[in-house]
Amino acid sequence: MRKRIVAGNWKMNCDLSETDYLLSRLMEQKLNPEVEVIVTPPFPNLYTAFNLLKNAPIDVAAQNMHQEANGAYTGEVSATMLKSVGVETVILGHSERRAYFGEDNALLAQKVSTALSQEMRTIFCFGEELQERKEGRHFDVVKEQLQEGLFHISNDDWKQVVLAYEPVWAIGTGETASPEQAQEMHQFIRETIAEAYSQDIANEVSILYGGSVKPNNASEIFGKPDVDGGLIGGASLKADDFAAIVNAF
Ligand code: PEP
């Protein structure tokens, strides 16, 4: 049985007191216990979040990490540093990292390897841009992102991987992929994994949808058979909206 997951991508939002406030409000919410709930505060607040949520059914993940174990990489954060503050899940390949920080498939493949070798669960993000969809290339683009960024991992590694399909044109734009578009792509992703690995692995991996998921559209999207949850940006910054999305299954 695949895990249902709703992860909030806080991006570069929430200082320390705002983190404290948002998490305190979130802990007051009734959350569907069948859904794994994840929040991703910015790096400086991960340790505080981990401690605040110690007894809550909410996991803490990081939004990014460096591909090397340590060394002269000014401004960067390693997997072992994240683990040392209790973080065991990391988002890799978010479209903002790809677009603004030049993270390409080859670099992401290295980051994935490092995360998995450190036993960090990886939420691997990918998705096509608007022009690519308009040109009918969205399936090819997604397949290439998977093949080049992820398909070097072993069969066993898949237990530590969650996928997040996020069409770039739907992130932060208010424009959501229709439930049918999400299902079509998620089914394609599962078929692609089945071809490259096995049907069992394809059936077991959780595939999240991300892109303007809100309380009013979440249940229709989550109702599709190959959609196992969501990666939520804007709506994860309001405790009641995020809880409503968690409870939308
Ligand atoms: C995201 O940042 O991953 C995201 C899906 O953002 P939003 O929900 O705001 O579109």
Side-chain angles (χ1 to χ4, degrees), residues 9 11 94 96 166 170-174 210-214 231-235:
N9 176 18
K11 314 192 188 201
H94 190 277
E96 287 150 18
E166 299 203 300
I171 298 178
T173 59
S212 299
V213 177
K214 307 287 177 205
L231 182 57
I232 317 300

Side-chain angles (χ1 to χ4, degrees), residues 99-113:
Y100 307 142
F101 301 95
E103 297 197 4
D104 60 13
N105 293 335
L107 175 72
L108 290 168
Q110 288 180 48
K111 290 194 175 201
V112 166
S113 294

Side-chain angles (χ1 to χ4, degrees), residues 5 7 32-33 36 45 64 67 88-89 94-95 106 110-111 114 124-125 187 208 231 235-236 238:
I5 301 170
N32 181 344
E36 179 180 353
N45 302 330
N64 180 36
Q67 65 275 18
E88 301 201 326
T89 302
H94 190 277
S95 68
Q110 288 180 48
K111 290 194 175 201
T114 304
F124 184 78
C125 303
Q187 189 179 332
L208 316 184
L231 182 57
S236 71
K238 287 194 186 137

Side-chain angles (χ1 to χ4, degrees), residues 43 62-82 90-92 97 103 107-118 120:
F43 288 138
Q63 300 173 20
N64 180 36
M65 51 158 252
H66 196 264
Q67 65 275 18
E68 297 296 337
N70 51 50
Y73 301 101
T74 302
E76 293 293 332
V77 169
S78 72
T80 47
M81 291 171 193
L82 294 174
V90 63
I91 296 175
L92 294 177
R97 299 294 319 170
E103 297 197 4
L107 175 72
L108 290 168
Q110 288 180 48
K111 290 194 175 201
V112 166
S113 294
T114 304
L116 294 174
S117 71
Q118 297 294 330
M120 291 272 286

Side-chain angles (χ1 to χ4, degrees), residues 3 16 30 42 56-57 89 115 152 154 182 189 226-227 239 243:
K3 223 182 223 179
L16 185 58
K30 206 168 152 12
T89 302
H152 61 290
S154 70
I189 293 161
D226 286 298
V227 178

